[in-house]
Amino acid sequence: MPHSTQRKFRSTLKEIELERYISAHSTPEADELRSVVNRAEQELVYPRMVSGHLQGILLTFLVRMLRPKRILELGTFAAYATIALARGLEDGGRVVTVEIDPDLEPFIRKSLRDAGVEQKVDLLFGDATALVKSDRIDLSETTLVYIDANKRHYTEYYEAIVPKLGSGAFVLADNVLWGGKVTDPDARDLQTEGIRAFNDLVRDDPRVEQVILPIRDGLTLISIK
């Protein structure tokens, strides 16, 4: 095995060991969230798209710290992150979540129902950008947005959302490191280019402050000035 391959293999093992250590020293994954993961592995085509244990805890903690009354989520998929967000809400808080694939509705509704958060969530289906631009989603009271939909359209989501948010609101964007492909000059697929364009847009936007957290596949925290 070439030395470069050996180094990469050892580095990957180290990362796996560290993630296991971090998980073992963090609050255990809630049963209802573990159930979503198990069902996704059995029933969905891309179960790896489910948000993980550590990211779920972080989302819940951020909601508890920021105390939003209304959250917008773009990209529901299996509803793992939806549940994590809803678990952090205070009484009366709501999550509006948008999913483009209506075939996922039975899976999503069962996830929400089994987790006991269905009454806190408004589930919409359709194109996220179009819905944000329409009157179907009112962002006037939204102070937290979580973006985890089609990576090619992150810049569109961002440009549609930010002008409608007030000062002090926050945007979270998932998968901003895209498996490390953002730094690979040979990676030119549309998803990678979409993430790169988004990261550059946020970096250069004077309306916001931001930081990328290297948790899981990269999570950007954006604060509206």
Side-chain angles (χ1 to χ4, degrees):
M1 183 184 294
H3 291 307
S4 60
T5 303
Q6 290 178 356
R7 287 196 298 270
K8 185 175 181 179
F9 181 70
R10 287 195 296 269
S11 177
T12 300
L13 286 178
K14 189 66 174 179
E15 291 175 2
I16 292 173
E17 291 172 1
L18 283 173
E19 185 166 347
R20 287 175 177 169
Y21 182 87
I22 293 169
S23 294
H25 290 77
S26 300
T27 299
E29 188 173 38
D31 290 342
E32 55 266 35
L33 291 174
R34 169 49 54 182
S35 176
V36 173
V37 173
N38 292 338
R39 290 175 52 236
E41 290 175 348
Q42 296 170 11
E43 302 176 29
L44 300 182
V45 177
Y46 300 108
R48 290 187 62 187
M49 289 172 57
V50 174
S51 299
H53 171 207
L54 297 177
Q55 187 157 332
I57 294 173
L58 177 60
L59 292 176
T60 300
F61 277 20
L62 287 172
V63 173
R64 288 174 179 166
M65 289 187 288
L66 298 174
R67 303 176 68 182
K69 284 296 183 182
R70 193 174 181 89
I71 300 171
L72 172 63
E73 177 188 36
L74 303 184
T76 317
F77 191 52
Y80 189 106
T82 316
I83 295 168
L85 294 166
R87 281 167 56 87
L89 284 171
E90 296 180 343
D91 290 344
R94 298 198 68 77
V95 178
V96 177
T97 184
V98 179
E99 172 57 44
I100 196 167
D101 185 358
D103 291 339
L104 287 171
E105 183 169 6
F107 190 102
I108 293 170
R109 293 215 179 270
K110 178 172 173 53
S111 296
L112 300 176
R113 185 169 59 252
D114 291 351
V117 299
E118 191 173 26
Q119 73 282 0
K120 296 182 179 181
V121 178
D122 296 323
L123 175 60
L124 302 177
F125 288 93
D127 178 79
T129 303
L131 285 171
V132 168
K133 291 181 176 180
S134 73
D135 295 331
R136 290 190 63 188
I137 297 180
D138 182 6
L139 291 178
S140 61
E141 296 184 351
T142 299
T143 53
L144 178 61
V145 177
Y146 179 58
I147 302 175
D148 189 17
N150 193 318
K151 315 311 167 191
R152 289 178 292 177
H153 302 306
Y154 266 34
T155 57
E156 296 173 23
Y157 306 147
Y158 183 82
E159 292 289 23
I161 289 167
V162 170
K164 295 187 176 184
L165 297 177
S167 176
F170 287 85
V171 177
L172 310 178
D174 195 18
N175 304 116
V176 295
L177 298 180
W178 203 229
K181 293 174 72 174
V182 289
T183 61
D184 181 356
D186 295 325
R188 294 295 176 185
D189 59 277
L190 293 177
Q191 301 278 29
T192 302
E193 294 286 27
I195 291 294
R196 286 194 186 113
F198 170 78
N199 290 340
D200 290 347
L201 174 64
V202 176
R203 177 197 61 195
D204 298 333
D205 189 350
R207 299 171 295 180
V208 304
E209 295 178 318
Q210 70 285 333
V211 62
I212 295 178
L213 302 181
I215 184 173
R216 199 166 176 258
D217 199 23
L219 181 71
T220 299
L221 278 61
I222 303 166
S223 174
I224 311 297
K225 293 181 181 179

